Amino acid sequence: MENGRIKGKEEITEMKEEMDVSSIQQKNLEEVLVERGILTQEQLDSAKKEAEETGKSLKDVLIDSGFISKEHMPLLLSIELGVKTVDLANVIVEPEVANLIPESVVRKFKVLPLFREGNNLTVAMADPTDIRIIDELHRETGLMIEPVLASEMEIVRAIDQTYGAADTIYEIVKSIDEKRILSAKDAGEEAPIVKLTNLIIVQAIRDRASDIHIEPEEKMVRVRYRIDGVLHRVVSLPKKSSIMIGIENLGFSKQDLRTFLDLIHKPYGMILVTGPTGSGKTTTLYSALNRLNTEDRNIMTMEDPIEYQLPIVRQTQVNPQIGLTFAAGLRAILRQDPDIVMVGEVRDLETAEIAVHAALTGHLVFSTLHTNDAPSAFTRLVDMGVEPFLVSSSVIGVIAQRLVRVICEKCKESYEPTPAVLKELGLPEAEKLKLHRGKGCPLCKGTGYRGRIGIYSVLKVTPKIQELIVSRAPAGEIDKVARSEGMKTLREDCLDKVVNGITTVEEMLRVTQDIIV
C-alpha cells in the first residue's frame, strides 16, 4: 500500500511464518470460493466451462449466473488484486501489536492488526479494497498498512479474543516476575496467577463456553474453549516455567545471609526450614538448591508436590497410593549416591530417622517442619521419637520464616509514630523516627502494599546448643542461648524492615502476633 493504493500481486511480500501465520496464503479464485463454501465444485466447473465457451472472465460469469452475490465482491476483488487471505483461527496477535490500534477503532472498522514488520503493519480486513479505512488506519498508526482478507465474522470473533481476553492475560503473565512469585502462592485476589485463572473463567462465561481446555506443551500453554460444540483457541501463553528467586532477594539481613550461605555450603548435616503453610519455605529451599546446583554435585529431591523444575536435579513426586511415601522415596534416593538431598517435609518418625541418618553419613539434607520458631524444631524432632543425641549431631541449622507485605513504592509516605507506637516497638521515645506506610493507589488496589518479602530467624547449631538438645532443654531455654549468640527473632528481623521502610508496624503485628518475644 502506497499513497492509498493497494500494491499489485507481484509487489506483495511474503508474510512472517514465525509469527504463527502460516495459514496466510496466496490462493487463486477457485480455491478460495470452494474452500469457503461460496461455490460447490459443480457450480465452479459449470462456470469455468461457460467462461471458456463465451470468452468472459470467470468472475463475470460467476456474477452474471448468480453464483456470487454482491457481498462477495470484496473477496473477488481482493483475489484479483493479489491480496492474501488469512484464517484467523490459527493466528495469535501479540499484545504490543494489538495496542497499535485502539480497540474502539478495530471494532468500528472491523479490522484486526496481525503483525508489524518495520514500517509495515499487516491488518486483516473484511474489505481490503476500502481505501477510506486503510487511510484512517495509516493516520492512526503512522505505519504503511498491508491488508489481508478475512471474513467479517472471523474478524469480530478474533477482536473479542484479542482485546477482550488475550491482551489482559498477557499483561498478567508479564506481571508474574521474580519479585512477586512469593505473593503468587497464596495472596488471594491480588495474586497474578489467581487473576489469570479468574479471567480465563470469566471470558469462558462471556463466550458461552461449555468446557475450558488448558493444554500445556513444551514451550507454551494453549487455552481453548468449546463453544457450541466446537473448540476455539482463545490464546497461547508463554509457559510459566521455573521462576527462581536469588537467595540475596529473599529478604535475609546481611548477617543472616552470611550465616545461611555458610550453612548450605557445609559438606553434610541437616538444615531445616520452619514456619506455617504459605510462609515461603519451599521457595527458600529451592533458592538454596539452585545456588548449589552444579555439574559436580548429585542433587535429588522427594517432594509433594514438585513446585519448581530444576535442571540437572533429579526430582521425584511422592505418591502414597503406590507406596511411594517420603520415607520410601528417601530410602531409594540414598541408594543412588546423592551429595545433596531435599525432603519436602519431615512428617513422621520414619522419615525423620532416615533423614537424620543421611545427614550423619555424609549427605547435606534439606527439609521443612511446621513449627512457629527455630528453637522449637529440636523439641519437635525429639517429640517425634528421634533420640536427642542424634538430633544434636545431625542438625546444623534451622531457619524460621514468615512473609510480610511490602509497602507500595508508588504511594509510600513517611510519618512520625506516636509514643505509644514507639513503646510497642521497644524503641526510645525521644528518638525522632520516621516510619512509612502506603496511602493506597490504583497500582496496589488501595491496600498500600505491593508484593511480599521474607522475615527470618537463623539459628546456627553451636556446641552450647548441642548440649541443650542432648539434655532435652525446652525450646525457650534454647532460644535464650541462641539469642545470646547472635540469633535474631522473627519479630526483631521484621522490626528492622519496619524501621527501614520496607513494611509497616501493622503488618509486623499481624504476622508476628503468635510469636513470643
Side-chain angles (χ1 to χ4, degrees):
M1 159 77 55
E2 291 181 355
N3 299 324
R5 292 169 47 209
I6 300 177
K7 293 183 178 181
K9 180 174 180 179
E10 68 280 1
E11 298 173 273
I12 296 177
T13 58
E14 290 300 321
M15 306 183 97
K16 293 174 68 180
E17 294 180 353
E18 64 270 21
M19 298 297 291
D20 194 22
V21 287
S22 57
S23 60
I24 301 178
Q25 303 170 16
Q26 189 70 44
K27 297 180 179 179
N28 62 39
L29 179 63
E30 302 172 17
E31 289 176 316
V32 174
L33 295 177
V34 174
E35 185 179 278
R36 296 200 174 204
I38 297 171
L39 287 178
T40 65
Q41 188 63 50
E42 292 75 14
Q43 289 172 327
L44 178 59
D45 292 341
S46 174
K48 286 171 67 176
K49 182 178 180 181
E50 182 178 340
E52 290 174 1
E53 293 174 350
T54 62
K56 291 183 179 181
S57 70
L58 178 60
K59 183 183 72 173
D60 289 339
V61 171
L62 291 171
I63 294 173
D64 292 343
S65 64
F67 290 153
I68 297 292
S69 64
K70 287 184 178 180
E71 68 182 31
H72 295 128
M73 284 301 295
L75 173 63
L76 300 180
L77 189 55
S78 297
I79 297 170
E80 186 173 56
L81 293 175
V83 178
K84 296 183 179 182
T85 61
V86 59
D87 179 4
L88 293 180
N90 296 317
V91 174
I92 301 170
V93 181
E94 297 292 340
E96 55 267 26
V97 175
N99 290 336
L100 292 173
I101 304 178
E103 182 179 355
S104 58
V105 175
V106 300
R107 291 192 182 280
K108 176 183 177 182
F109 295 130
K110 294 184 174 59
V111 297
L112 182 70
L114 298 180
F115 61 78
R116 177 180 178 178
E117 185 172 28
N119 198 40
N120 293 331
L121 178 64
T122 300
V123 179
M125 300 176 62
D127 182 1
T129 67
D130 194 325
I131 304 300
R132 179 183 60 87
I133 293 178
I134 292 173
D135 284 345
E136 182 64 32
L137 296 178
H138 172 68
R139 284 192 294 271
E140 184 72 41
T141 63
L143 301 172
M144 303 307 295
I145 305 302
E146 295 282 357
V148 293
L149 177 69
S151 73
E152 183 175 308
M153 183 176 66
E154 287 179 347
I155 291 174
V156 171
R157 183 185 296 120
I159 288 172
D160 289 338
Q161 293 174 347
T162 300
Y163 291 85
D167 185 54
T168 310
I169 289 173
Y170 272 105
E171 288 303 311
I172 290 175
V173 171
K174 285 181 182 178
S175 73
I176 306 176
D177 56 25
E178 290 187 354
K179 294 182 180 178
R180 299 193 63 192
I181 190 65
L182 288 173
S183 64
K185 286 271 290 182
D186 54 357
E189 290 297 322
E190 296 181 14
I193 290 175
V194 174
K195 285 183 182 178
L196 178 62
T197 304
N198 288 343
L199 182 64
I200 290 172
I201 294 172
V202 169
Q203 189 65 33
I205 294 171
R206 287 176 181 164
D207 292 346
R208 300 174 294 104
S210 59
D211 300 272
I212 301 173
H213 294 252
I214 299 176
E215 302 157 331
E217 296 184 6
E218 184 179 357
K219 295 183 179 179
M220 49 87 79
V221 177
R222 180 186 292 106
V223 179
R224 296 194 292 172
Y225 296 158
R226 188 174 294 281
I227 302 170
D228 298 330
V230 178
L231 279 174
H232 298 269
R233 175 161 56 182
V234 182
V235 69
S236 295
L237 305 173
K239 217 166 185 184
K240 291 174 281 293
S241 57
S242 302
I243 304 175
M244 296 303 305
I245 300 178
I247 291 177
E248 294 81 2
N249 299 321
L250 291 174
F252 284 107
S253 66
K254 289 183 179 179
Q255 176 187 327
D256 285 345
L257 179 59
R258 283 194 298 268
T259 304
F260 185 57
L261 290 174
D262 178 62
L263 287 171
I264 69 172
H265 283 96
K266 297 289 186 185
Y268 57 87
M270 183 187 293
I271 298 171
L272 296 170
V273 181
T274 73
T277 301
S279 60
K281 300 188 297 295
T282 303
T283 301
T284 299
L285 286 177
Y286 272 107
S287 297
L289 290 183
N290 199 46
R291 174 64 69 95
L292 298 170
N293 191 14
T294 57
E295 290 282 353
D296 60 340
R297 292 189 175 104
N298 181 14
I299 303 177
M300 305 185 71
T301 72
M302 180 59 55
E303 307 172 54
D304 185 22
I306 297 174
E307 297 186 30
Y308 298 85
Q309 294 287 344
L310 289 170
I312 307 176
V313 176
R314 285 183 282 173
Q315 298 171 260
T316 304
Q317 168 80 46
V318 168
N319 189 349
Q321 292 181 343
I322 62 171
L324 186 57
T325 61
F326 277 120
L330 187 52
R331 281 199 193 91
I333 283 175
L334 293 176
R335 289 194 291 268
Q336 299 179 52
D337 188 34
D339 298 300
I340 299 171
V341 175
M342 187 184 87
V343 186
E345 184 182 346
V346 175
R347 298 177 180 173
D348 51 60
L349 175 59
E350 186 179 14
T351 305
E353 287 181 333
I354 299 170
V356 165
H357 176 74
L360 292 173
T361 54
H363 303 88
L364 185 62
V365 180
F366 291 92
S367 193
T368 68
L369 274 178
H370 284 278
T371 62
N372 282 335
D373 54 33
S376 298
F378 306 111
T379 54
R380 177 63 193 274
L381 288 174
V382 172
D383 289 344
M384 280 185 182
V386 183
E387 290 295 332
F389 76 92
L390 292 177
V391 175
S392 68
S393 303
S394 60
V395 180
I396 59 175
V398 181
I399 294 87
Q401 70 176 84
R402 298 285 194 284
L403 295 176
V404 295
R405 292 181 292 174
V406 175
I407 299 171
C408 175
E409 286 295 330
K410 182 146 190 177
C411 62
K412 180 189 283 189
E413 65 175 5
S414 61
Y415 70 97
E416 290 187 9
T418 64
V421 170
L422 290 173
K423 185 177 180 181
E424 175 72 24
L425 298 178
L427 298 172
E429 292 185 27
E431 184 179 342
K432 288 189 176 180
L433 183 67
K434 292 254 185 202
L435 299 182
H436 294 80
R437 61 193 170 199
K439 290 187 295 185
C441 67
L443 185 66
C444 63
K445 294 186 169 41
T447 64
Y449 299 98
R450 185 170 171 82
R452 294 193 291 176
I453 196 170
I455 59 172
Y456 296 91
S457 178
V458 180
L459 189 160
K460 185 175 182 178
V461 176
T462 62
K464 285 186 179 180
I465 300 293
Q466 286 180 319
E467 291 175 7
L468 291 173
I469 296 170
V470 171
S471 64
R472 297 178 182 264
E477 192 172 337
I478 296 174
D479 177 75
K480 189 182 297 182
V481 172
R483 291 173 69 179
S484 71
E485 294 182 334
M487 182 194 78
K488 283 196 301 185
T489 65
L490 288 168
R491 191 155 191 173
E492 288 167 342
D493 188 52
C494 193
L495 179 58
D496 287 344
K497 290 178 171 63
V498 170
V499 173
N500 289 318
I502 297 172
T503 191
T504 64
V505 174
E506 294 76 16
E507 187 69 357
M508 182 189 82
L509 297 175
R510 180 184 73 85
V511 173
T512 65
Q513 61 183 336
D514 62 332
I515 300 169
I516 301 174
V517 181

